[in-house]
Amino acid sequence: MVRGRVNSSSQTEQRQSTEDIQSKSEMERETLESQLKEAKEEKGTLKERCEELTQKLDSTEQSLVSQRIGNSMEREKLQSELEQNQKLIKELQDKVAALEHQLEQSDLKKQGKKGDWSMTLVNGQHQDQGQKFKSPRGLAFHRDKLVVCDSGNNIVQILNKDYTCDKVIGSFDGQFAKPFRPLSVAISHFNHYFILDDANKQIVVCDENGKIIQIITLPENIKVVCDIALMDDFVLVTLSLTSLDITRPEDRDDRLVKYTQSGEYLAEVNGQIRGQGQFKWPVSVVVNSNNVIMVYDSGNRCIKCFDSDLNFLHQFGQSQLSGSIVGYTGYIAVDEDDNVYVCNYFSDRILKYRCDGKWICNLLEGNVRSPWYIAVMGDKIGVVEWNSDQIKVFSK
């Protein structure tokens, strides 16, 4: 009996425990279901927020795209307007430049009119010797003097303001292998005369009284000397190792050579620059105030410009219309403003250029015939014509 009551009590306890477990499970389930519901609700809220953000993002992106398109269109419009304005400005600049050039030419071309120049014929009669010029060649204005290479008389004449002969350089009898034959002359700041002696292929340096200071001997294989110029403490010479047969350019060997004034060889160039071809008879050389060396390359019908170290700078004279260099031309000169004067032998005129190669005007048309040598100072232009024993000095 006792055992039976014990078993009944155990069963009651087991039943109660099972009910507790079930109750607890139901509570946990309810909790989980509540949490799940809340999570789903939160998920739904977040999903709605994401959709809202996505819509806003899409809307924002579309707005930005539209704005970019609008900005791009506006930019293209402004760019087009800018280009049109720049084009108009360029056209106006060209028009202004053309009008200024026309006005300039209207003034400058007056320099070339025959009636605007007064001319003095200079015969070179020496006050003691009674000699007149015979085949005069290079000439130079120096201070208030006109210096003339009187080649046929084997002297250099120094003329006064009235063009009467003041002094003569050239009494060098027996001092050289051949009679002295001056071709070109340049005068230093120290009043030393650097005279290119064509016959002996040398440079005679002397004072104005003819006292020899030194002799600069040029290479023995030189066939032709052409011109001389001074630059600071240096001497520049154009010369040829071949004859003057310019019809055979493939045989030419022409050079611009640089020496010290004491006669030391420094450098040379043959004009072969950037496919432009080498010198073909570089008849003349001058130096402007900026130490730009200008060589008239007669065979190539242009002026080649170099710096003081003989590096090529530019060239001009071939393609200018009215200012084109026609045929084989004579010597060149520069004035105080660095303008360049070219003896245009075949067209009977003097061409005037700026130092940058821009043609300015033609001078002395109708006043000169076959101009060959030239010198310029202030408003004076001295010209030696081909096969003439006179010098024409023009002044305003």
Side-chain angles (χ1 to χ4, degrees):
M1 293 296 293
V2 174
R3 182 178 299 174
R5 283 198 296 274
V6 171
N7 290 339
S8 176
S9 176
S10 296
Q11 289 176 355
T12 300
E13 292 176 356
Q14 290 177 355
R15 200 168 40 248
Q16 183 65 40
S17 177
T18 300
E19 290 175 356
D20 291 341
I21 292 172
Q22 290 176 348
S23 176
K24 184 177 181 180
S25 296
E26 288 176 358
M27 290 176 66
E28 289 178 353
R29 177 182 176 82
E30 289 176 358
T31 300
L32 290 174
E33 287 177 349
S34 177
Q35 291 177 349
L36 176 60
K37 183 180 179 181
E38 291 176 358
K40 286 182 177 181
E41 290 176 353
E42 187 176 359
K43 176 183 177 183
T45 301
L46 290 174
K47 185 176 180 180
E48 290 176 358
R49 179 61 178 163
C50 286
E51 290 175 353
E52 181 182 350
L53 290 174
T54 300
Q55 290 176 357
K56 287 185 177 181
L57 182 61
D58 291 341
S59 177
T60 302
E61 182 66 25
Q62 291 176 1
S63 177
L64 289 174
V65 169
S66 299
Q67 187 177 359
R68 281 198 296 269
I69 292 173
N71 289 342
S72 178
M73 293 176 63
E74 183 67 19
R75 185 179 183 279
E76 290 178 358
K77 180 180 178 181
L78 292 174
Q79 183 67 29
S80 176
E81 184 178 354
L82 176 62
E83 291 175 354
Q84 290 178 1
N85 288 338
Q86 288 175 337
K87 184 178 179 181
L88 289 174
I89 290 172
K90 178 65 168 58
E91 291 175 354
L92 288 173
Q93 286 177 337
D94 292 342
K95 185 176 181 179
V96 169
L99 291 172
E100 288 178 343
H101 182 68
Q102 289 177 11
L103 289 172
E104 180 183 39
Q105 296 309 307
S106 177
D107 293 334
L108 290 173
K109 283 183 179 179
K110 293 179 181 179
Q111 300 179 34
K113 291 184 179 180
K114 186 172 182 178
D116 291 339
W117 296 90
S118 62
M119 182 183 69
T120 302
L121 283 176
V122 182
N123 296 314
Q125 184 169 343
H126 188 261
Q127 59 187 5
D128 296 327
Q129 301 176 11
Q131 289 177 307
K132 294 184 178 182
F133 289 140
K134 183 178 179 181
S135 299
R137 293 293 183 257
L139 65 162
F141 287 105
H142 178 60
R143 299 173 181 170
D144 60 345
K145 307 288 186 179
L146 175 62
V147 182
V148 181
C149 292
D150 189 359
S151 183
N153 288 316
N154 307 108
I155 58 175
V156 173
Q157 293 199 37
I158 303 175
L159 309 182
N160 293 310
K161 284 184 177 180
D162 59 359
Y163 305 120
T164 58
C165 185
D166 178 32
K167 296 180 180 180
V168 169
I169 298 174
S171 300
F172 304 131
D173 294 339
Q175 297 189 51
F176 309 136
K178 298 178 180 180
F180 174 66
R181 191 169 65 205
L183 177 68
S184 183
V185 60
I187 304 99
S188 73
H189 297 297
F190 301 103
N191 207 34
H192 292 168
Y193 288 66
F194 288 71
I195 306 168
L196 192 59
D197 180 0
D198 178 36
N200 296 284
K201 305 299 184 287
Q202 63 185 7
I203 301 170
V204 178
V205 185
C206 59
D207 62 19
E208 63 181 2
N209 297 311
K211 180 181 179 181
I212 295 178
I213 298 171
Q214 66 171 331
I215 301 295
I216 300 175
T217 303
L218 302 176
E220 294 181 357
N221 56 345
I222 289 176
K223 295 291 182 64
V224 179
V225 292
C226 299
D227 199 10
I228 188 171
L230 300 181
M231 178 185 66
D232 296 333
D233 296 327
F234 305 104
V235 182
L236 300 164
V237 181
T238 52
L239 50 83
S240 178
L241 303 185
T242 52
S243 68
L244 293 183
D245 183 6
I246 53 180
T247 62
R248 295 179 57 83
E250 68 276 7
D251 295 336
R252 300 215 56 75
D253 190 355
D254 303 318
R255 303 177 187 182
L256 166 66
V257 187
K258 180 181 179 182
Y259 298 89
T260 64
Q261 289 195 11
S262 61
E264 179 186 356
Y265 168 87
L266 294 176
E268 65 182 54
V269 290
N270 68 355
Q272 184 85 31
I273 313 119
R274 300 177 188 172
Q276 299 295 333
Q278 65 184 29
F279 288 137
K280 296 178 185 177
W281 193 19
V283 296
S284 185
V285 56
V286 295
V287 181
N288 70 16
S289 63
N290 294 313
N291 280 348
V292 174
I293 303 166
M294 300 181 180
V295 177
Y296 177 62
D297 189 357
S298 181
N300 288 310
R301 304 181 188 182
C302 67
I303 293 173
K304 292 181 177 177
C305 301
F306 303 82
D307 65 17
S308 58
D309 295 321
L310 305 190
N311 296 309
F312 177 74
L313 298 174
H314 61 93
Q315 68 181 43
F316 63 89
Q318 282 183 315
S319 60
Q320 286 82 355
L321 296 176
S322 298
S324 61
I325 294 175
V326 180
Y328 297 110
T329 300
Y331 282 63
I332 64 177
V334 292
D335 63 16
E336 294 86 347
D337 297 321
D338 291 339
N339 297 313
V340 185
Y341 299 74
V342 182
C343 288
N344 209 174
Y345 174 85
F346 285 105
S347 62
D348 298 333
R349 61 184 178 177
I350 306 298
L351 303 178
K352 184 177 180 180
Y353 294 91
R354 296 192 189 282
C355 59
D356 60 1
K358 180 182 178 183
W359 174 72
I360 298 177
C361 64
N362 298 327
L363 299 174
L364 304 180
E365 290 181 288
N367 287 282
V368 293
R369 185 173 182 180
S370 303
W372 191 246
Y373 294 90
I374 185 171
V376 178
M377 185 179 71
D379 63 350
K380 293 182 179 180
I381 301 178
V383 177
V384 177
E385 298 173 324
W386 184 257
N387 284 336
S388 173
D389 290 333
Q390 294 179 323
I391 293 175
K392 292 181 177 180
V393 179
F394 298 91
S395 59
K396 285 289 190 179

